[in-house]
Amino acid sequence: MAHVEVGVAVARKAGALAAGGDAQAERAVLLARIFAWEVCQLFERNSLRILTGTGDLDAATVANSLAEIRFSEFAGSCRNVIKDMDRLADIVFGR
């Protein structure tokens, strides 16, 4: 849960910088998107572990739970993440 809360704070900060036209806005937005991707991966992995790790839940319950949290949408979190990482490296290393 702490990762989600940090992600929200980072996204809000990036949004405020972008709205204010701050020179650091692009860097902050990239960091926020990369961190959001990491949080999605963590949530995805932990959800599967919780739902299937004990073997106590039947397949239908697991499938319904994954559908309810819209699990399939987490795959979209990686869209453009490599480009974001490359652009952030450009900014950090002055390329």
Side-chain angles (χ1 to χ4, degrees), residues 4 9 12 15-16 19-20 22 26 29 37 48 51 54 60 66-67 70 72 79 81-82 87 90 94:
V4 173
R12 285 185 178 147
D22 191 286
E26 182 183 16
V29 168
W37 168 66
L48 286 175
L51 292 170
T54 64
L66 293 175
R70 296 165 40 183
S72 62
R79 179 167 284 116
V81 73
I82 300 300
R87 179 62 189 132
D90 291 343

Side-chain angles (χ1 to χ4, degrees), residues 18-93:
D22 191 286
Q24 295 295 316
E26 182 183 16
R27 179 178 178 262
V29 168
L30 290 166
L31 285 168
R33 285 200 308 243
I34 293 167
F35 189 76
W37 168 66
E38 293 282 349
V39 171
C40 282
Q41 285 188 316
L42 180 66
F43 182 82
E44 183 178 35
R45 186 172 54 248
N46 286 343
S47 296
L48 286 175
R49 185 178 303 137
I50 290 166
L51 292 170
T52 61
T54 64
D56 291 339
L57 300 175
D58 60 75
T61 300
V62 171
N64 289 338
S65 297
L66 293 175
E68 187 175 321
I69 62 172
R70 296 165 40 183
F71 189 78
S72 62
E73 293 182 26
F74 286 96
S77 70
C78 65
R79 179 167 284 116
N80 293 323
V81 73
I82 300 300
K83 288 180 182 179
D84 288 346
M85 290 178 183
D86 285 344
R87 179 62 189 132
L88 183 59
D90 291 343
I91 293 168
V92 170
F93 298 112

